[in-house]
Amino acid sequence: MTFVAKQWVFLPVVGVLSLFLQPFALGNPQVPCYFIFGDSQDDNGNNNYLNTTAKANYPPYGIDFPEGPTGRFTNGRNQADFIAELLGFEGYMPPFANIKGQDITKGVNYASAASGILDQTGRQLGDIVSLNQQLQNHRRVTSQLVRLIGNEAATKEYLAKCLYTFAIGSNDYIDSYLLPEYYPTSRLCTPRQFARMLIKEYSQQLRKLYRLGARKIAIFGLGFLGCVPGLLSIDGTCVDSLNSEVQLFNEELKPLVDELNTELSSAHFIYVNVTAITLSTMPAVSAGQCIPGQIPCSNRNQYYFWDDFHPSEIVYEASSRLAYSALSSLLNAYPFGIGSLADTDSREKLEIQ
């Protein structure tokens, strides 16, 4: 893979990505609601009014999004937007920061840029909404849903049909473990110990969501952080040691999914293999977080990275489609893809018959 960092350089993405800019078949959504937990991959405005540098509500972010800069860390739609479209929703899930009234019945996006599994992650950048805080926000939303729906039993039945996605953990490395000047974690834990510490906390958080009524939950693994433009080595090549450290975390996710599915009644957890999905495309690079008002390249659909850390819209579409369809269940997702996860009620009825 070829990478050039610290300047605006654009190299073409492999031609297969051009096949993904196809219209979506919108209709009756597969699930009644969709809830998103995560970081800047999915943030659509939750950080806009926080005292933090981790925000993207200014140009050229959103240059290809109908509403312009909204807080999405890319040129157009992000991962959560594409999954919502694939599920059949006509609109996107509102950020928690902006929810009003019955907005919550279709779902909520809680994702916050720079956030992580650990509460400490990203704090050097200012205020962020950690995963624990995102779960607290969801608890508030479920309480509101009880009032809207009328009773707790009906609300739990409703929530059990919804889809929940988690795409988080990258910042626990980028904005915690790799910053010894701010956090002592790397001096106290080996990479394997750190990965297991994250998994232990993550398991407790996922169980907490289960107790709030969630039953269909997709967990995204981490990508090749060592090949992200902002983290490349001085000579512009991938940092293999970082990729190896992150893989220690990924290796724990499939066993975690098996454990949760075994121990939690009626639970359906899946693992989305982001590294396998990434290998389905050939990355090229733009580098540097977007500078306010800077003019980006005109052929954005041909490039992998939008800024120093985030993919372009076309890459989010490609990866979302692969996670949804999971044509190779043993490769892209386990034990099946997001589309099948959304249809688990129908699958179980067919098996019973």
Side-chain angles (χ1 to χ4, degrees), residues 134-278:
Q134 292 178 36
L135 288 166
Q136 289 174 10
N137 291 339
H138 183 61
R139 180 182 291 276
R140 292 169 56 188
V141 165
T142 58
S143 296
Q144 294 176 42
L145 281 171
V146 171
R147 291 193 290 272
L148 286 171
I149 294 174
N151 66 77
E152 189 169 345
T155 302
K156 284 190 174 182
E157 183 178 350
Y158 184 76
L159 290 171
K161 298 176 182 178
C162 302
L163 179 72
Y164 305 77
T165 58
F166 285 75
I168 199 164
S170 295
N171 293 315
D172 291 295
Y173 287 89
I174 298 171
D175 287 313
S176 180
Y177 194 68
L178 299 180
L179 295 178
E181 63 271 32
Y182 291 103
Y183 310 103
T185 323
S186 60
R187 296 192 295 270
L188 301 174
C189 303
T190 66
R192 186 172 295 279
Q193 289 172 333
F194 183 66
R196 287 175 175 169
M197 180 176 72
L198 290 179
I199 291 294
K200 182 179 180 180
E201 178 69 14
Y202 208 5
S203 176
Q204 294 173 353
Q205 293 163 334
L206 293 167
R207 290 169 188 272
K208 184 181 298 183
L209 181 70
Y210 173 85
R211 291 193 293 271
L212 290 173
R215 294 296 182 269
K216 303 178 182 184
I217 304 162
I219 305 169
F220 283 74
L222 307 185
F224 293 104
L225 294 188
C227 297
V228 169
L231 299 175
L232 296 176
S233 62
I234 295 175
D235 63 1
T237 59
C238 295
V239 180
D240 292 335
S241 60
L242 176 53
N243 286 336
S244 297
E245 290 176 9
V246 169
Q247 194 59 27
L248 294 173
F249 174 81
N250 286 336
E251 289 171 358
E252 299 283 349
L253 289 176
K254 188 174 175 182
L256 176 61
V257 162
D258 285 335
E259 176 185 300
L260 294 171
N261 284 333
T262 299
E263 295 182 7
L264 302 179
S265 175
S266 302
H268 297 282
F269 288 82
I270 69 168
Y271 162 55
V272 178
N273 190 337
V274 173
T275 54
I277 288 174
T278 301

Side-chain angles (χ1 to χ4, degrees), residues 15 26 32 49 62 68 98 110 145 149 228 238 242 252 297 305 314:
L26 302 179
Y49 304 107
N98 296 349
Y110 304 102
L145 281 171
I149 294 174
V228 169
C238 295
L242 176 53
E252 299 283 349
C297 69
F305 285 100
I314 193 172

